[in-house]
Amino acid sequence: MSRPYIIQDEITLPGFQGAVHLPGQDTYDELRRSLNPSVDARPALVAEAYGPADVRTALLAARANGVPFAVQATGHGTHAAPDGGVLVRTSPMASVLVDPVRRVARVGPGARWGQVIAAAAPFGLAPLSGSAPSVGVTGFTLGGGLGWLARKHGFAADSVVRAEVLLADGRHVTASASSHPELFWALRGGGGGFGVVTSLEFRLYPVSQVYAGFAYFPVEAAAATLDAYRTWIDDAPDELSTAIVLKRMPADGPLPGRHVMMVKVVYTGEAAEGRRLLAPLWRAAGPALLDETRTIAYAGTAMGGTPNRHMDMFDAVPGEVADILVAAADHAQTVEIRHWGGAMGRPGPDAGPVSHRGTKLSVIVDTPVPGLADALRPYANGGTFLNFLSDPGRTAAAYTAADYDRLRKVKRAYDPDGFFRVGHVV
């Protein structure tokens, strides 16, 4: 008896409504790419799904032929290549529905944060979005989701209330606190290795304006500012999120070509109080080269992120760490030191497996710096964060031992033969 799905010289996906792109076509090369320059995927086909039925058709085709299966919306979280397999692009599934009464949003798997922010803003609401509007909602959220409102409201994963999920055997289920609760727990920080989320529902928060932006100082001020920052963060309120960035400025932006220290700020309060809270850092740093912090609509904030070539997390930050990072900035394009804490460290009793919640600061460096990992290792807590982890071989390091053991049990229950095996899987 012939198989219903064929991936050979000619590809058949019966009933598939979206476009299918094959090797040799210009569209194929465009759609197979991720944002990770180290991943050069060569799938047998790229299928643009228009709805859950399309995703299911593509999944069953891959399953029937025993080839890899992967899902990609924006490509931000793609770290492994589904070579010879089926790559589903969910970009066309980008619906966003906001319920202002319940303060929730329901989105398709192709939605980006910019769309959700724009849809929620007229109601004075905001999601726990990422650092850039172009980031995909679903992948960011399943990986934990560290946003600029996280100190006040927690990780994006903590805001999820419901998910529609396509399982490895082709079944569609609803995961929530009352339906498939173990799957629901795993999805909120455990990544996409348990099923394909075809719809995600999450809480929104009453945030319309923030005091936010960047202030730039001479890089020579970094040592004194970081020394002050180590203790200043202990008294920072949950409403205030900051990061210190040592950065070589591009030629096409402010202060072109300068090596600077940049302070990133998002404060969900009044500008005068925000400036008062930040005053100790400004005193340590000295006169600003340029201060762009101001009151702005949350929809207008775009804080940007740092590409991750090295990451460490710290439960405490001795002065030696600051010295190491200042020295590393001589060799790197960008070194970002970000304050965690607040609501991220106070999970509810039913919270998902986002771990290392006691982390005080994270450090991300965008350039390989010889000896940096060895120098920081004695001070770091040894953990990592799934959204920032590019090595699928280190997935377990993103979780506590207890959570990882529980995730493995959920994986065995919902994907017993390991069909979802591309990328971060337990």
Side-chain angles (χ1 to χ4, degrees):
M1 184 168 117
S2 63
R3 293 181 296 186
Y5 304 97
I6 301 171
I7 300 178
Q8 292 174 344
D9 295 333
E10 185 175 340
I11 299 171
T12 303
L13 298 177
F16 195 86
Q17 299 297 306
V20 176
H21 308 269
L22 307 178
Q25 298 175 341
D26 291 342
T27 50
Y28 169 87
D29 282 329
E30 177 185 349
L31 293 173
R32 69 181 175 84
R33 293 193 184 99
S34 79
L35 294 179
N36 186 338
S38 67
V39 177
D40 184 25
R42 299 286 175 174
L45 62 85
V46 181
E48 290 189 275
Y50 285 0
D54 277 354
V55 181
R56 183 176 186 273
T57 296
L59 181 150
L60 293 176
R63 189 171 189 90
N65 287 270
V67 298
F69 174 84
V71 177
Q72 186 170 301
T74 65
H76 282 84
T78 301
H79 303 298
D83 292 337
V86 174
L87 173 60
V88 173
R89 291 295 303 246
T90 58
S91 302
M93 300 172 63
S95 62
V96 176
L97 297 174
V98 169
D99 182 338
V101 176
R102 294 174 56 223
R103 291 183 177 177
V104 298
R106 182 182 177 93
V107 308
R112 300 178 184 229
W113 279 121
Q115 297 169 273
V116 184
I117 292 169
F123 306 105
L125 300 173
L128 303 185
S129 53
S131 295
S134 60
V135 172
V137 173
T138 301
F140 174 88
T141 303
L142 298 184
L146 172 63
W148 284 89
L149 299 178
R151 282 181 39 78
K152 176 63 175 176
H153 298 293
F155 292 103
D158 296 334
S159 72
V160 174
V161 295
R162 185 188 309 271
E164 303 296 328
V165 188
L166 176 65
L167 301 179
D169 60 8
R171 288 182 296 144
H172 267 111
V173 300
T174 298
S176 68
S178 59
S179 174
H180 297 271
E182 282 298 289
L183 177 62
F184 180 61
W185 173 84
L187 291 172
R188 291 176 295 148
F194 304 92
V196 182
V197 172
T198 58
S199 177
L200 195 65
E201 188 174 309
F202 48 85
R203 287 184 289 271
L204 302 170
Y205 299 86
V207 178
S208 57
Q209 288 189 323
V210 291
Y211 173 66
F214 311 134
Y216 304 86
F217 301 86
V219 74
E220 291 78 12
T225 308
L226 283 173
D227 187 57
Y229 193 63
R230 292 187 303 110
T231 54
W232 173 85
I233 57 177
D234 292 337
D235 296 321
D238 294 354
E239 292 80 6
L240 179 59
S241 294
T242 56
I244 292 181
V245 184
L246 312 182
K247 184 178 181 67
R248 299 179 189 276
M249 299 297 289
D252 59 350
L255 305 172
R258 288 287 299 267
H259 194 189
V260 302
M261 180 188 73
M262 178 170 68
V263 182
K264 293 183 175 183
V265 176
V266 174
Y267 176 57
T268 58
E270 296 298 323
E273 179 62 9
R275 288 191 289 267
R276 186 191 71 79
L277 291 166
L278 291 164
L281 291 186
W282 265 233
R283 285 195 295 269
L289 300 170
L290 176 65
D291 190 339
E292 298 179 325
T293 57
R294 64 200 188 280
T295 298
I296 188 173
Y298 182 75
T301 60
M303 303 307 293
T306 299
N308 177 20
R309 299 295 176 267
H310 174 86
M311 179 185 181
D312 271 315
M313 303 167 78
F314 301 86
D315 297 335
V317 186
E320 291 87 346
V321 170
D323 294 340
I324 293 167
L325 296 176
V326 170
D330 290 335
H331 307 280
Q333 183 73 22
T334 307
V335 176
E336 179 166 341
I337 304 99
R338 182 164 176 176
H339 184 204
W340 288 45
M344 291 182 281
R346 300 190 299 269
D350 62 342
V354 180
S355 59
H356 306 297
R357 290 176 180 265
T359 290
K360 193 170 190 176
L361 290 169
S362 64
V363 170
I364 293 180
V365 184
D366 71 346
T367 310
V369 177
L372 178 61
D374 290 338
L376 291 176
R377 187 172 294 115
Y379 309 101
N381 64 21
T384 188
F385 190 65
L386 201 66
N387 288 146
F388 300 148
L389 181 61
S390 58
D391 180 5
R394 294 191 60 222
T395 302
Y399 304 100
T400 64
D403 280 351
Y404 194 69
D405 183 61
R406 186 176 172 185
L407 284 168
R408 291 176 65 189
K409 293 176 182 176
V410 178
K411 178 71 170 176
R412 286 194 294 268
Y414 284 91
D415 185 15
D417 56 358
F419 173 74
F420 298 114
R421 60 183 184 275
V422 177
H424 287 300
V425 294
V426 297

